[in-house]
């Protein structure tokens, strides 16, 4: 992993000194300014590798747009940035994607101003797109049961290496629906998470924050069966046990989230569900929505999902609202159920 570059933060200077200390934007390439910015959010905000990659892609796209207009990140003005946001809209980007790009721009130019690399912040007055409140895609309980049943059946029907892969997919699916983990948290679980006596697992989430998440009986059984298949497939000479619960030969050492997402969509097709409606994130939504539907407190769901702000969890309040309506309808003396 790249070692974050330390950027000195000098005390405020008097006006002539500040002008002399201001660096020339032209002395940096767009790639150089981007890396300075990424080093800062890695060192000071604990940004994950996935977050850094997303920022890098977004800012590379901005740089490409500006270069076609003979501009750069160091010389772009507010009008150029407005043109970029309009271009994103013309390219068919979703409102949420445009808002994310705008957030990246604001963070970048605020950083360049604070480091005196630029003397202004052209993104400060940019207005974001109006975002409607979109409800998350959610599978029904019956859909999830259908998916889980198909995954279990495929273990018994498979042989050899295919049996191990089927057990792994079943384990991933059971643990995801039982815990609501982010897919990056799920695939990077350590082998120790599958201890026989484990009732809770420690999850390292965004910002390197840890939280405890309980395991249900189904998830523990799926883990035990998967470990049995791993032990049966592993020859004694293969060396020590892997560090990860879902090991892989890739650079990270564990299964990639993209690989799991593909396997999950293939399973959905075999289970008779529309693959476009099934993804790891949709199952995370199902976990939260089904808990709330059955009476769980919103704050508890916030903790389980690892949301730092309750407003993020409030996208699920439509589930609570529907449940309250049904309670009034069925239980109130003057309700329709009476």
């Amino acid at each position: 992993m790249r070692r974050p570059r330390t950027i000195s933060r000098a005390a405020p200077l008097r006006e002539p000194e500040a002008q002399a200390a201001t660096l020339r934007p032209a002395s940096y390439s767009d790639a150089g300014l981007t890396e300075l910015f990424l080093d800062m959010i890695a060192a000071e905000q604990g940004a994950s590798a996935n977050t850094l990659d997303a920022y890098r892609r977004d800012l590379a796209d901005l740089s490409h747009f500006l270069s076609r207009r003979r501009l750069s990140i160091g010389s772009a003005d507010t009008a150029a940035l407005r043109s970029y946001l309009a271009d994103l809209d013309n390219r068919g980007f979703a409102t949420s994607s445009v808002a994310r790009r705008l957030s990246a721009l604001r963070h970048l130019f605020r950083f360049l101003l604070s480091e005196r690399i630029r003397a202004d912040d052209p993104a400060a007055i940019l207005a974001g797109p109006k975002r409607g409140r979109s409800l998350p895609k959610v599978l029904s309980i019956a859909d999830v049961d259908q998916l889980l049943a198909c995954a279990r059946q495929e273990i018994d029907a498979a042989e050899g290496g295919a049996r191990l892969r089927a057990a792994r997919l079943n384990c991933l699916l059971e643990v995801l629906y039982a815990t609501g983990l982010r897919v990056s948290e799920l695939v990077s679980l350590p082998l120790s998470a599958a201890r026989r006596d484990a009732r809770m697992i420690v999850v390292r989430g965004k910002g390197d924050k840890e939280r405890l998440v309980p395991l249900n009986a189904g998830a523990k059984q799926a883990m035990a069966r998967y470990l049995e298949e791993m032990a049966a497939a592993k020859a004694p000479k293969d060396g020590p046990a892997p560090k990860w619960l879902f090991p892989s030969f890739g650079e990270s050492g564990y299964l990639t989230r993209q690989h799991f997402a593909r396997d999950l969509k293939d399973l959905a097709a075999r289970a008779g569900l529309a693959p476009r409606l099934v993804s790891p994130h949709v199952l995370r939504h199902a976990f939260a929505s089904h808990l709330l539907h059955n009476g769980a407190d919103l704050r508890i769901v916030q903790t389980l999902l690892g949301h730092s702000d309750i407003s993020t969890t409030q996208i699920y309040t439509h589930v609570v609202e529907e449940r309250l309506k049904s309670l009034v309808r069925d239980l109130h003396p003057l309700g329709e159920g009476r």
Side-chain angles (χ1 to χ4, degrees):
M1 181 177 176
R2 186 181 67 251
R3 195 170 114 188
R5 182 184 293 112
T6 302
I7 301 175
S8 61
R9 298 188 179 278
L13 301 175
R14 293 189 299 273
E15 190 65 26
E17 294 173 332
Q19 291 177 355
T22 301
L23 301 176
R24 294 180 181 177
S27 64
Y28 287 91
S29 66
D30 282 2
L33 290 176
T34 298
E35 288 306 313
L36 280 174
F37 169 67
L38 295 179
D39 284 346
M40 182 276 292
I41 62 173
E44 298 186 9
Q45 300 177 16
S48 68
N50 290 337
T51 298
L52 295 175
D53 287 342
Y55 271 118
R56 187 176 285 108
R57 287 193 301 271
D58 291 350
L59 297 177
D61 186 62
L62 169 65
S63 176
H64 179 67
F65 173 86
L66 293 173
S67 67
R68 297 201 310 266
R69 286 154 179 77
R70 297 183 180 180
L71 294 170
S72 66
I73 290 175
S75 63
D77 56 13
T78 301
L81 298 183
R82 282 202 181 102
S83 297
Y84 174 64
L85 296 177
D87 181 66
L88 293 177
D89 187 59
N90 292 336
R91 283 191 269 164
F93 277 67
T95 301
S96 58
S97 297
V98 176
R100 192 194 74 203
R101 296 285 177 100
L102 176 57
S103 176
L105 298 186
R106 285 173 173 161
H107 278 80
L108 170 67
F109 286 103
R110 194 180 304 133
F111 163 74
L112 297 180
L113 177 63
S114 69
E115 293 299 321
R116 304 193 187 105
I117 295 174
R118 284 192 59 135
D120 64 337
D121 181 356
I125 61 173
L126 291 177
K130 293 182 179 179
R131 302 177 67 178
R133 185 183 177 188
S134 59
L135 300 180
K137 296 178 183 177
V138 177
L139 295 173
S140 68
I141 295 176
D143 288 339
V144 176
D145 285 342
Q146 190 173 334
L147 203 59
L148 290 169
C150 182
R152 295 187 198 109
Q153 292 167 4
E154 290 190 350
I155 302 176
D156 297 326
E159 295 181 358
R163 188 181 180 90
L164 175 59
R165 289 191 294 273
R168 181 182 68 185
L169 181 56
N170 177 62
C171 182
L172 284 160
L173 182 55
E174 289 274 9
V175 174
L176 176 55
Y177 183 56
T179 62
L181 297 182
R182 298 179 180 91
V183 63
S184 56
E185 297 168 346
L186 174 67
V187 296
S188 61
L189 282 175
L191 187 63
S192 58
R195 294 195 319 268
R196 290 184 180 275
D197 60 342
R199 295 183 180 180
M200 310 276 284
I201 55 175
V202 178
V203 178
R204 192 178 296 277
K206 285 187 175 180
D208 215 27
K209 295 178 181 177
E210 290 186 347
R211 69 184 188 278
L212 284 173
V213 179
L215 287 173
N216 63 19
K220 289 191 283 187
Q221 290 170 5
M223 282 181 169
R225 187 166 189 184
Y226 168 55
L227 291 180
E228 288 174 3
E229 296 297 335
M230 281 182 69
K234 184 176 182 297
K237 62 182 180 180
D238 285 348
K243 175 182 177 182
W244 309 106
L245 180 56
F246 305 107
S248 173
F249 294 109
E251 182 180 350
S252 64
Y254 51 78
L255 187 74
T256 65
R257 51 198 172 90
Q258 294 87 351
H259 191 144
F260 172 43
R262 288 195 301 269
D263 286 352
L264 185 57
K265 287 188 178 294
D266 291 342
L267 176 67
R270 296 192 297 272
L273 302 174
R276 63 183 177 80
L277 300 178
V278 181
S279 71
H281 205 62
V282 168
L283 279 166
R284 176 171 156 89
H285 286 322
F287 162 82
S289 296
H290 296 169
L291 276 179
L292 290 168
H293 180 74
N294 287 307
D297 183 85
L298 193 65
R299 288 284 183 184
I300 298 297
V301 175
Q302 176 194 359
T303 300
L304 293 173
L305 292 176
H307 289 161
S308 58
D309 193 330
I310 189 66
S311 63
T312 308
T313 319
Q314 284 173 343
I315 60 171
Y316 301 106
T317 52
H318 69 287
V319 178
V320 179
E321 290 166 3
E322 289 301 317
R323 184 170 180 274
L324 290 175
K325 288 177 185 177
S326 66
L327 285 174
V328 173
R329 183 181 63 247
D330 298 338
L331 303 178
H332 193 277
L334 300 180
E336 297 174 10
R338 296 289 179 181

